Amino acid sequence: MADTERRPEPRVGFVRRIGLFQATALNMSQMCGIGPFVTIPLMVAAFGGPQAVIGFVAGAVLALADGLIWAELGASLPGAGGSYVYLRQAFQYRSGKLMPFLFVWTAMLFIPLGMSTGIIGFVQYLGYLWPGMGRTQGDLVGLAVVALILAVLWRRVENIAKITVVLWCVMIASVVLVIIAAFTHFSPGRAFTYPAHAFELTTNHFWIGFAAGLTIGIYDYLGYNTAAYMGAEIKNPGRTLPRAIVFSILGIMAIYLLLQIGTLGVIDWKQMLDPDSAASSSVASAVLEAAWGKGAARTVTVLILVTAVASVLAGLLGGSRVPCDAARDKVFFRAFGTLHPRHRFPVLGLASMGAITAVGFLIGRHTDLATLIQLLTTVMVIVQALAQVLAVTVLRRRQPGLRRPYRMWLYPLPSLVALVGWLVIYGYADKNSPGRHPIEWSLAWVAAGCIAFVLWARFEKVWPFGPREITEEYLHGTDPGSDPDTGTDPDTDPDTRAPAPV
């Protein structure tokens, strides 16, 4: 069928009010959160010893390579929804709205599943302060925390950004205190004494452990893209987004390495494998107790709980924007495009992701955290991560005149590194989660999304049941994601100035 070119009419939408520091704080709050505090024992179990530090290094390399992809796409296509915008622009020429639809379909699952792991970690560390907490009590506490976070997010974005900066400061304080405590009682012999055959690269056992460790590592780094989901609310996005992504990855990498090495220098790694040991469920509290006593451990555990809340808050804040722009462009259910009449946030996106977070939390509580991480990672990889690697190249060829305030360093090397890393994670998923079949579940979810797309496309009369609509709005110089009346002044902000039409 014939293609048609459509330029969207100007519309009132988001306002650009988030600067570099706030964007970096959003990313780092989402990246750190409770993640490393609950995954250090999982990383040790994957590698079978203190060589688990390899997992965090490998995760940092993959995060930085993929982060440069996000940086180029986010700087040149600064709209609400992140990947939705990038995949819509890149793949509209051949498959219409299929790829952005599938991304939103999968994001509605993997984003809140990621947030549910933060709530699980919150309840695990609460158990250190409340030793007698039963499973039902823990479930109720987790659901109450989800409700509290939704209540905090039910307001204007600039007010949330201020709250996020405060929570970011608490996050930094908690990890710094754990690191200081660890290195005041650090034992090099404990941290750097490896079991026999720890580095035998020729064995299949090592590579299975490496793939599991890479999965856990990239899970801990996920969130470097949070600000990109809010591209329509970022001031000076061509400069702010690339810097926020790179700064947050490098900052969190330094924190994680110090945290991992310091913890291994205080707690014997074998204790982390004992399910009855406090080191397996609340390792940071165990470090603080060993270094400074129970009083200090309880105090810093409270900060860790606040950090967990900050992570989930930042994730739902950015994730709730994903279906909004898709709906406003008629690529997803239209109700998701409605903004709160006063506070200008996506109501249904926030409410639905909050509900899925609560359900994912209950499921994870009755299975295990490692399985939940495998599932959310495989679902994310197949539609978002691999597709965006291709999207960078497609856009460079399809839209060479697109204004690119940032261009990927050493292109295409980061794309190739990211491609290999994501394929390793996906290819080893079933081996690292025996009996759970995350690959099969991810394929089933995508297949269901394809069926939903066909039904939706037939109802909406779009490709393949109608013409493809080519919307090169960023190439033509419009900015559909921000409020033209209250957004940044294009005469004073060079990164929102419209380029000449091509």
Side-chain angles (χ1 to χ4, degrees):
M1 295 184 179
D3 297 345
T4 62
E5 183 173 352
R6 177 176 63 87
R7 297 190 187 186
E9 298 179 359
R11 63 193 181 200
V12 175
F14 295 115
V15 181
R16 298 194 183 279
R17 290 177 177 171
I18 299 177
L20 175 60
F21 182 72
Q22 293 172 328
T24 305
L26 278 170
N27 287 349
M28 293 184 70
S29 296
Q30 169 60 13
M31 291 170 74
C32 188
I34 199 71
F37 296 122
V38 297
T39 57
I40 287 176
L42 297 179
M43 190 75 81
V44 170
F47 280 90
Q51 69 272 24
V53 175
I54 297 173
F56 284 114
V57 174
V61 172
L62 176 55
L64 190 57
D66 193 61
L68 296 182
I69 294 173
W70 278 89
E72 176 167 327
L73 293 173
S76 56
L77 306 169
S83 293
Y84 156 73
V85 177
Y86 316 149
L87 300 185
R88 184 192 71 204
Q89 289 294 306
F91 298 108
Q92 61 184 329
Y93 302 97
R94 291 188 178 275
S95 58
K97 298 179 178 180
L98 172 62
M99 287 303 296
F101 182 94
L102 285 180
F103 166 72
V104 179
W105 176 269
T106 55
M108 290 296 294
L109 180 65
F110 73 72
I111 291 176
L113 282 184
M115 300 308 99
S116 68
T117 63
I119 304 297
I120 292 171
F122 179 95
V123 174
Q124 284 185 7
Y125 270 81
L126 183 63
Y128 181 82
L129 302 176
W130 184 2
M133 179 179 60
R135 179 170 292 275
T136 300
Q137 292 169 319
D139 291 346
L140 292 175
V141 167
L143 294 176
V145 171
V146 174
L148 174 64
I149 290 172
L150 290 178
V152 171
L153 290 174
W154 211 265
R155 64 193 70 236
R156 294 183 71 88
V157 68
E158 60 268 27
N159 297 329
I160 298 170
K162 296 173 184 176
I163 295 171
T164 302
V165 170
V166 174
L167 295 176
W168 177 80
C169 293
V170 174
M171 180 269 290
I172 292 295
S174 64
V175 295
V176 167
L177 287 171
V178 174
I179 290 170
I180 292 174
F183 281 96
T184 56
H185 288 69
F186 184 76
S187 168
R190 186 179 292 116
F192 302 114
T193 299
Y194 306 105
H197 313 298
F199 298 101
E200 286 192 357
L201 305 184
T202 57
T203 63
N204 192 44
H205 175 76
F206 175 86
W207 290 110
I208 291 177
F210 177 84
L214 180 60
T215 303
I216 296 168
I218 196 61
Y219 159 78
D220 282 330
Y221 283 99
L222 288 179
Y224 52 84
N225 49 15
T226 299
Y229 284 124
M230 305 174 66
E233 297 164 89
I234 302 295
K235 292 188 294 187
N236 207 354
R239 291 170 59 86
T240 298
L241 282 175
R243 292 183 180 188
I245 290 169
V246 174
F247 290 169
S248 59
I249 292 172
L250 295 178
I252 291 295
M253 178 180 67
I255 289 172
Y256 281 177
L257 291 177
L258 289 172
L259 191 62
Q260 172 82 35
I261 294 171
T263 298
L264 290 169
V266 176
I267 304 296
D268 190 316
W269 65 271
K270 296 183 182 67
Q271 294 182 33
M272 301 184 197
L273 306 182
D274 181 2
D276 297 324
S277 170
S280 66
S281 59
S282 50
V283 67
S285 300
V287 168
L288 287 157
E289 182 176 335
W292 294 341
K294 276 189 172 293
R298 291 193 182 100
T299 301
V300 179
T301 298
V302 173
L303 298 181
I304 293 173
L305 295 178
V306 176
T307 297
V309 172
S311 174
V312 177
L313 185 147
L316 288 179
L317 174 63
S320 62
R321 271 65 179 169
V322 172
C324 179
D325 203 52
R328 287 157 70 84
D329 259 354
K330 300 179 181 179
V331 180
F332 204 59
F333 303 106
R334 299 184 185 187
F336 283 89
T338 302
L339 298 181
H340 191 280
R342 179 182 175 189
H343 299 309
R344 312 303 296 169
F345 66 86
V347 177
L348 187 56
L350 179 60
S352 59
M353 285 198 175
I356 297 172
T357 297
V359 174
F361 160 73
L362 293 176
I363 293 173
R365 284 273 291 172
H366 295 275
T367 55
D368 62 86
L369 182 59
T371 296
L372 198 59
I373 291 173
Q374 290 284 355
L375 177 60
L376 72 91
T377 305
T378 52
V379 171
M380 179 197 72
V381 166
I382 194 170
V383 171
Q384 181 189 44
L386 295 178
Q388 281 192 183
V389 172
L390 182 59
V392 171
T393 300
V394 170
L395 282 170
R396 285 196 176 199
R397 294 180 179 178
R398 286 284 191 175
Q399 298 186 17
L402 179 67
R403 184 172 182 270
R404 292 176 172 84
Y406 166 81
R407 295 177 71 89
M408 185 193 302
W409 303 330
L410 302 176
Y411 174 84
L413 182 60
S415 290
L416 296 175
V417 172
L419 177 63
V420 172
W422 292 123
L423 289 176
V424 168
I425 287 175
Y426 194 79
Y428 278 85
D430 276 352
K431 293 182 180 179
N432 290 318
S433 188
R436 303 292 188 183
H437 307 294
I439 291 179
E440 287 82 353
W441 281 110
S442 68
L443 292 174
W445 185 256
V446 172
C450 291
I451 295 172
F453 172 78
V454 170
L455 297 175
W456 172 86
R458 187 174 183 84
F459 177 80
E460 295 285 349
K461 294 181 173 57
V462 299
W463 182 91
F465 302 101
R468 282 185 292 254
E469 293 181 345
I470 307 301
T471 57
E472 297 176 327
E473 61 264 35
Y474 295 92
L475 181 63
H476 289 297
T478 62
D479 187 0
S482 61
D483 191 327
D485 298 321
T486 58
T488 307
D489 183 355
D491 294 328
T492 59
D493 186 347
D495 281 299
T496 57
R497 189 180 300 130
V502 176

